[in-house]
Amino acid sequence: MTRRELREHVFRILFACEFLRSHRQDAPYMWPDEAAVSEQIDLYFTHESGEELEFPPCEVQPQDQDEVRQRAIEVCAKVPEIDRILDETSTGWKTGRMARTDLCILRVAVYELLFDEHIPAGVAINEAVLLAKKFGGEDSSSFVNGILAKIQRQKNP
């Protein structure tokens, strides 16, 4: 499995998990716990093979499923910290206002920028922009690029 395929699978899992979190006005933001994330990952790999996806989860080899699962769990464990960083970095666009696709792409990319020393910053940013062009809205790629560039500048002043 390529890193691009891995990244897209993790993005898709995070996107699905985004719909599990608490959205009640009277409750604090709650990202799903590890058990709920794990259950979502299991569901992700049980999709029907007839679905038209570029990287169908049902066709992922078992050893690659383990890699996707591990990376998704690692990113999900950092979501509260990543969201705090995004809230501090973005001007006028807190995570609660961001499009879910953009937010999930940013979460994967910020994880790669700050917590995965094996992925060069330029690669993490470029791959996030490509995901935003594929899955996001008209302005998603420039939005994602701008926030990630700012985070990168803050990381390496």
Side-chain angles (χ1 to χ4, degrees), residues 86-150:
L86 289 170
D87 283 337
E88 291 170 358
T89 304
S90 59
T91 306
W93 285 97
K94 301 304 177 204
T95 54
R97 289 189 60 214
M98 291 179 189
R100 289 180 180 178
T101 52
D102 297 350
L103 179 57
C104 292
I105 291 166
L106 285 166
R107 286 173 174 157
V108 173
V110 170
Y111 177 87
E112 291 180 350
L113 277 172
L114 302 179
F115 303 106
D116 188 338
E117 58 194 41
H118 296 85
I119 299 176
V123 171
I125 293 170
N126 184 59
E127 290 293 323
V129 169
L130 292 174
L131 276 175
K133 287 180 179 180
K134 182 173 182 176
F135 293 104
E138 187 176 315
D139 298 325
S140 292
S141 59
S142 59
F143 177 73
V144 165
N145 187 54
I147 290 178
L148 294 176
K150 189 172 181 182

Side-chain angles (χ1 to χ4, degrees), residues 41-127:
I41 293 168
D42 290 341
L43 289 171
Y44 178 76
F45 287 117
T46 59
H47 286 306
E48 298 296 321
S49 61
E51 289 188 80
E52 293 186 27
L53 300 173
E54 186 173 345
F55 305 123
C58 58
E59 295 177 9
V60 176
Q61 299 300 313
Q63 68 273 16
D64 293 332
Q65 286 184 16
D66 291 342
E67 186 178 8
V68 171
R69 173 182 299 281
Q70 183 61 37
R71 177 51 63 105
I73 288 171
E74 289 169 2
V75 175
C76 287
K78 295 284 189 184
V79 164
E81 184 176 353
I82 291 169
D83 284 0
R84 181 188 50 75
I85 292 166
L86 289 170
D87 283 337
E88 291 170 358
T89 304
S90 59
T91 306
W93 285 97
K94 301 304 177 204
T95 54
R97 289 189 60 214
M98 291 179 189
R100 289 180 180 178
T101 52
D102 297 350
L103 179 57
C104 292
I105 291 166
L106 285 166
R107 286 173 174 157
V108 173
V110 170
Y111 177 87
E112 291 180 350
L113 277 172
L114 302 179
F115 303 106
D116 188 338
E117 58 194 41
H118 296 85
I119 299 176
V123 171
I125 293 170
N126 184 59
E127 290 293 323

Side-chain angles (χ1 to χ4, degrees), residues 7-64:
R7 191 175 285 111
E8 185 171 322
H9 285 298
V10 172
F11 157 73
R12 289 170 186 250
I13 290 168
L14 262 66
F15 186 76
C17 289
E18 179 64 19
F19 292 91
L20 298 176
R21 72 180 180 101
S22 170
H23 290 286
R24 294 186 7 222
Q25 294 296 332
D26 61 335
Y29 171 86
M30 295 287 293
W31 182 254
D33 63 17
E34 189 174 335
V37 169
S38 185
E39 181 180 352
Q40 194 61 44
I41 293 168
D42 290 341
L43 289 171
Y44 178 76
F45 287 117
T46 59
H47 286 306
E48 298 296 321
S49 61
E51 289 188 80
E52 293 186 27
L53 300 173
E54 186 173 345
F55 305 123
C58 58
E59 295 177 9
V60 176
Q61 299 300 313
Q63 68 273 16
D64 293 332

